[in-house]
Amino acid sequence: MAGGKEIRDKIKSVENTRKITKAMEMVATSKMRKAQERMRTARPYSTKIRNITGHLAEANPEYVHPFLARRSEIRKVGFIVVTTDKGLCGAMNTNILRAVTHSMRDLEADGIQSDVVPIGSRGLSFMNRIGARVVAQVVQLGDTPHLERLTGPIKVLLDAYQNADIDAIYLCYTRFINSMAQEPVIERLVPLAPEKVKADKGTHSWDYLYEPDAQAVIDELLVRYVEALIYHAVAENFASEHSARRMAMKAASDNAGSVIDDLKLVYNKSRQAAITKELSEIVSGAAAV
Amino acid sequence: MANPTTIHVSVVSAEEEIFDGDAEFVALPGESGELGIYPMHTPLITRIRPGAVRIKVPGRTDEEFVFVAGGLLEVQPDEVTVLAETAIRGHDLDEASANEARKQAEEALRNRGSKIDYAKAQSELAIAIAQLQAISRQQKRR
């Protein structure tokens, strides 16, 4: 059986690992709650924009903004892929990247090319590794998503859409279902689905005064709305990241705990065996005399 | 029926709610000059420049100041909403940040450096965790 010191060292090493994973689990729990709070505070803005845009679209049916018009022919699409910067969050990044790769392969089979904007280092290194066409990226977002870091890369894709370089944009992120469940989703961002621009309340009899004019206001609103949708996906991805990391670290701590228990048993058995051996040597030595 | 002496004002940005409350009067820096909004104002949508939104809260003599980096103003008969930007925008600024993003993508493709120390520590921890997982799976099979 292995020597006592070796087993003691192994126990110490696994205990250290468990301390780290337990600490990470606690940090992830508190970060998850903050991320959920951020999701909540971001909602009034996008609800407001959706309502105003809905009213405007109904009051001005003749102006169909390019973000709302379906394109008959699709030659190239854009993917915004939201992943994490850091790892140790279970299979979260793997799942979303696998889903995106499938979509890209299916589109390629139909002759449709894809441009990618990865948000998060994991997504960026994956996309670079598989040779996808990365047209812009956002990494090192830190703990808080800030909209101004996203506006540049978003504009790259929206410009390409307006110039008809790409004909649709998909938003891929991990939806936060609850603190124990996350799921990868791929949603079409642009052209906007009609229910995404529907106002909550019914129509009202009055119409707004637009400065400078209705079209310019709709243009501005829709860009802001698309940005808000992307921001919300990034904020939700943060919540999913921290809850996935919490679950992964908890599982690791539990595993470490059971390995420590087993090692301690082995250590005690080996210690008792050594004592027994020493005693029986003494006894048989004494008997021989 | 809405109280005609006050109007509900909310200033929200994409990230958070900045102000929410009732006001007797709101002044904002509109594109072509300062705008003053009293209750029962005509419904209006317009852009506002970066600057201070002055809100006269009932029951207080001093005004509430909310600084916004520009945005959109929506006035309804009983409600005023400011959709504030989180940072100063402008056609040239947006264009510049898009170009910056394109450049960064090309650069990243060229120099794929890595933050070695942190990544190494992370990978060591990941290996330790994987080993523990393997051991515990082995134990379950016994």
Side-chain angles (χ1 to χ4, degrees):
Chain A
M1 228 172 254
K5 180 154 197 328
E6 277 174 39
I7 304 185
R8 248 184 302 141
D9 288 345
K10 274 207 188 108
I11 293 178
K12 206 90 224 108
S13 145
V14 178
E15 273 177 349
N16 282 338
T17 303
R18 187 172 63 167
K19 272 192 209 138
I20 298 175
T21 56
K22 266 223 121 36
M24 289 182 74
E25 185 190 333
M26 287 199 282
V27 166
T29 308
S30 99
K31 286 193 176 173
M32 178 184 75
R33 297 219 183 91
K34 292 203 184 109
Q36 283 176 279
E37 179 62 21
R38 241 168 263 124
M39 277 170 65
R40 200 187 57 80
T41 57
R43 215 157 278 143
Y45 183 91
S46 53
T47 308
K48 222 355 157 169
I49 288 203
R50 179 169 52 79
N51 281 327
I52 300 178
T53 313
H55 284 141
L56 255 66
E58 276 181 54
N60 297 276
E62 25 7 285
Y63 177 54
V64 181
H65 191 278
F67 287 175
L68 299 166
R70 293 288 295 265
R71 304 244 174 113
S72 45
E73 205 203 315
I74 313 260
R75 281 150 305 130
K76 192 147 72 126
V77 300
F79 282 95
I80 300 178
V81 186
V82 190
T83 54
T84 69
D85 282 332
K86 307 198 196 117
L88 297 176
C89 43
M92 194 179 121
N93 289 321
T94 316
N95 290 338
I96 186 67
L97 290 169
R98 194 188 321 130
V100 173
T101 320
H102 277 163
S103 288
M104 284 169 63
R105 295 247 167 81
D106 288 345
L107 288 168
E108 203 176 329
D110 289 336
I112 301 174
Q113 305 274 308
S114 311
D115 281 350
V116 182
V117 173
I119 299 180
S121 322
R122 299 280 149 159
L124 176 61
S125 37
F126 178 84
M127 287 299 162
N128 278 337
R129 244 200 330 271
I130 66 169
R133 202 177 2 244
V134 173
V135 296
Q137 78 238 19
V138 186
V139 292
Q140 311 293 356
L141 273 172
D143 281 337
T144 343
H146 283 301
L147 183 55
E148 53 264 30
R149 293 225 35 219
L150 303 172
T151 42
I154 296 176
K155 189 171 195 308
V156 171
L157 270 188
L158 291 182
D159 284 350
Y161 182 80
Q162 302 259 45
N163 298 334
D165 281 339
I166 57 180
D167 302 306
I169 302 178
Y170 291 91
L171 182 55
C172 323
Y173 63 102
T174 305
R175 177 172 296 144
F176 180 83
I177 301 175
N178 58 48
S179 65
M180 307 268 275
Q182 316 88 35
E183 77 169 341
V185 295
I186 301 183
E187 298 174 340
R188 197 185 69 213
L189 180 69
V190 157
L192 288 158
E195 60 274 8
K196 287 221 123 131
V197 264
K198 208 140 189 66
D200 284 336
K201 298 186 278 269
T203 48
H204 36 69
S205 52
W206 47 266
D207 192 14
Y208 299 99
L209 211 64
Y210 307 106
E211 281 177 24
D213 57 70
Q215 192 168 315
V217 170
I218 293 181
D219 288 350
E220 186 120 350
L221 272 178
L222 279 176
V223 172
R224 301 286 179 275
Y225 185 46
V226 168
E227 288 172 356
L229 287 174
I230 298 173
Y231 176 83
H232 185 88
V234 173
E236 187 157 359
N237 205 70
F238 271 107
S240 300
E241 170 185 353
H242 296 308
S243 88
R245 185 164 299 126
R246 189 180 77 139
M247 281 163 50
M249 291 299 101
K250 182 169 192 332
S253 305
D254 292 344
N255 284 345
S258 68
V259 167
I260 289 172
D261 288 343
D262 286 346
L263 281 173
K264 282 197 174 142
L265 275 177
V266 170
Y267 174 69
N268 285 330
K269 279 206 191 109
S270 128
R271 193 176 49 89
Q272 287 166 343
I275 294 172
T276 307
K277 181 159 166 250
E278 212 179 308
L279 274 178
S280 60
E281 274 171 9
I282 295 172
V283 166
S284 53
V289 168
Chain B
M1 273 298 131
N3 184 345
T5 60
T6 62
I7 187 170
H8 180 242
V9 178
S10 59
V11 181
V12 291
S13 80
E15 294 178 9
E16 58 184 349
E17 192 176 70
I18 304 174
F19 178 89
D20 187 284
D22 288 328
E24 294 169 1
F25 171 73
V26 188
L28 315 108
E31 285 234 292
S32 21
E34 177 112 327
L35 279 167
I37 312 283
Y38 281 101
M40 304 307 280
H41 191 282
T42 309
L44 165 72
I45 300 190
T46 184
R47 267 206 295 262
I48 57 177
R49 282 181 294 108
V53 174
R54 290 184 294 126
I55 302 171
K56 173 83 185 64
V57 180
R60 279 170 45 185
T61 44
D62 58 329
E63 287 173 331
E64 182 89 26
F65 281 83
V66 179
F67 289 92
V68 297
L72 229 61
L73 166 70
E74 185 223 15
V75 180
Q76 289 193 21
D78 52 359
E79 183 169 23
V80 170
T81 309
V82 178
L83 296 167
E85 305 288 354
T86 50
I88 303 213
R89 306 281 295 258
H91 180 260
D92 296 329
L93 288 171
D94 289 355
E95 195 59 48
S97 75
N99 287 331
E100 181 66 34
R102 282 189 201 99
K103 252 201 314 175
Q104 273 184 3
E106 291 160 16
E107 263 185 54
L109 200 52
R110 270 181 274 135
N111 4 317
R112 249 170 283 179
S114 53
K115 301 207 171 19
I116 298 186
D117 291 321
Y118 183 74
K120 196 152 156 253
Q122 258 218 344
S123 71
E124 280 171 12
L125 182 56
I127 291 171
I129 291 176
Q131 282 174 339
L132 291 171
Q133 242 185 1
I135 294 173
S136 80
R137 249 183 259 135
Q138 229 182 14
Q139 286 167 344
K140 286 196 193 102
R141 255 183 256 132
R142 264 201 244 131

